Amino acid sequence: MCEKKAEEAVSLEVHQRILSRNDETARHNREHFDRLGTIAVNLMGSPGSGKTALLEATARRGNRRVAALAGDLETDRDAQRLAAAGIPSLPITTGSACHLDAGMVHRALHDLPLEGIRLLAIENVGNLVCPAVYDLGQHASVVALSVTEGEDKPLKYPVMFRTADLVVITKVDLLPHLDVDVRAIRNNLARVMPRPRAIEVSSRTGEGIDQWMQWLDELCEAATAPLQEARA
Amino acid sequence: MHEYAIVAELVRQVESEARRAGAAAVTRVTVAIGDLSGVERGLLATAYDVFRGRTVCETAELSLRAVPAVWSCPGCARDVAPGAVLSCPDCVVPARLRQGDEIVLERIEMEVA
């Protein structure tokens, strides 16, 4: 019974998502949002694609009870810009990490009260690849794509656009100065997004911001949970 | 470049499974990485080699299984040609990604005492 056996080779089938721990934390975040009646949007895009400007333009449209988390490798400049625009904001400084993960958002939520907040914009690190890999617990994913980035970005970075619920084509006021055709951008989006949806905006002139606000309103209306009011 | 973060999670999972199985040594881990997963296989292999020292994976070869992206129609099951618009021309419904977004630890080969 106690004879010594030789080591035995064993093959163990696991089939588990490597990011299962992030998925678990994301689920936890989503439950937190749902409990409070807050809709979370993961706003992604290249550095300089106009993510912060889009949120500033959102704030200029009045009281929509918006708060924001702003991810950046260094500095809290985006969070400062958003706070100056009237959006309660917290920075998430990632150091060398090229993306936000669900744990970073979870930790930040301890310091950002969401009672009375209808929309939480999570401005991801400027990067067209890595942020798409990590679920943060958001209800919708939005990619900001500026017309200055050219027509072929969707084909070059399909992963980010595949999971997007909406693409906001930004800086359209610059189109007269560029050899860029928005129809070509839309055509390329249809090859990487199964439900291609895009709106064209200029945060500077306000063009298209109505459509963006309407999309946000529809997103919030689709949510079933009532908004939990701020405690007095 | 998030491949180091992926490897850190991979090693953590292998450690947990190997401990539970009472492994004396892990000899191979097989990971499936889809073409639309957002993970670059070459970078993942490099990150694995840098990271595995002094972990349970030190003795383990990494086998990467590439999974091509396949979009197909949820109605008629026909595949969408690569590079085409992601909609079925017959059923006029959005295509669905059938495979290609995997970031999955599939198998651990180990020696058990």
Side-chain angles (χ1 to χ4, degrees):
Chain A
M1 281 289 148
C2 297
E3 67 189 290
K4 194 174 177 205
K5 278 201 302 187
E7 283 177 352
E8 187 189 353
V10 171
S11 179
L12 181 69
E13 298 295 320
V14 183
H15 299 282
Q16 187 179 24
R17 263 177 59 79
I18 292 176
L19 294 176
S20 57
R21 192 164 65 160
N22 182 79
D23 295 344
E24 187 59 40
T25 308
R27 197 151 44 234
H28 179 78
N29 289 348
R30 197 173 285 117
E31 284 165 6
H32 179 67
F33 300 138
D34 287 344
R35 209 163 35 242
L36 294 168
T38 301
I39 302 300
V41 170
N42 184 1
L43 178 56
M44 298 174 277
S46 307
S49 58
K51 298 183 291 299
T52 311
L54 180 65
L55 294 178
E56 288 172 321
T58 308
R60 282 198 290 273
R61 286 303 168 99
N63 177 25
R64 300 269 175 159
R65 300 200 268 196
V66 182
L69 294 171
D72 256 316
L73 270 65
E74 298 284 348
T75 84
D76 58 355
R77 294 176 74 106
D78 285 355
Q80 281 182 21
R81 275 175 62 185
L82 294 170
I87 300 178
S89 302
L90 267 189
I92 302 179
T93 310
T94 62
S96 61
C98 49
H99 59 272
L100 295 178
D101 65 31
M104 295 177 198
V105 170
H106 175 84
R107 286 189 292 279
L109 288 173
H110 286 295
D111 298 320
L112 186 70
L114 291 181
E115 284 85 2
I117 295 297
R118 192 50 159 161
L119 178 73
L120 174 69
I122 306 170
E123 186 183 334
N124 218 307
V125 178
N127 183 322
L128 217 42
V129 184
C130 314
V133 178
Y134 289 84
D135 184 8
L136 307 179
Q138 73 270 15
H139 298 92
S141 298
V142 175
V143 178
L145 173 67
S146 64
V147 291
T148 53
E149 293 173 67
E151 297 164 354
D152 56 1
K153 282 290 177 297
L155 301 180
K156 288 179 173 173
Y157 298 88
V159 174
M160 172 139 299
F161 294 96
R162 175 177 75 81
T163 53
D165 298 292
L166 177 73
V167 172
V168 181
I169 301 172
T170 61
K171 309 189 190 182
V172 293
D173 55 303
L174 296 178
L175 279 171
H177 309 286
L178 303 169
D179 291 323
V180 169
D181 186 347
V182 172
R183 283 172 304 183
I185 297 177
R186 287 182 176 275
N187 186 289
N188 288 337
L189 285 174
R191 292 162 202 281
V192 292
M193 285 173 85
R195 287 179 178 79
R197 182 149 188 206
I199 55 179
E200 298 160 33
V201 309
S202 164
S203 300
R204 199 160 70 94
T205 66
E207 180 185 346
I209 296 297
D210 281 342
Q211 277 176 279
W212 161 243
M213 299 307 293
Q214 191 186 337
W215 186 85
L216 287 176
D217 286 344
E218 284 168 15
L219 181 69
C220 290
E221 277 164 26
T224 50
L227 179 64
Q228 185 172 321
E229 292 303 323
R231 283 184 288 266
Chain B
M1 191 26 203
H2 50 294
E3 280 75 8
Y4 279 90
I6 304 272
V7 166
E9 280 301 300
L10 170 65
V11 170
R12 198 186 59 79
Q13 278 183 15
V14 172
E15 255 164 14
S16 152
E17 295 291 339
R19 195 178 317 118
R20 190 166 19 186
V26 177
T27 52
R28 181 179 300 275
V29 293
T30 304
V31 170
I33 300 293
D35 283 350
L36 279 182
S37 68
V39 174
E40 214 277 300
R41 285 183 288 272
L43 289 176
L44 189 71
T46 304
Y48 181 79
D49 279 337
V50 171
F51 202 83
R52 69 169 164 165
R54 294 183 192 184
T55 76
V56 69
C57 290
E58 188 158 24
T59 52
E61 291 298 313
L62 175 67
S63 290
L64 287 176
R65 187 169 74 85
V67 187
V70 179
W71 292 89
S72 59
C73 172
C76 67
R78 198 170 69 173
D79 288 350
V80 174
V85 169
L86 296 179
S87 168
C88 179
D90 296 332
C91 308
V92 200
V93 292
R96 189 181 294 159
L97 187 66
R98 196 149 58 79
Q99 60 168 57
D101 64 343
E102 296 82 356
I103 308 176
V104 172
L105 168 59
E106 296 194 310
R107 195 173 305 108
I108 306 172
E109 289 164 55
M110 54 183 111
E111 286 169 0
V112 177

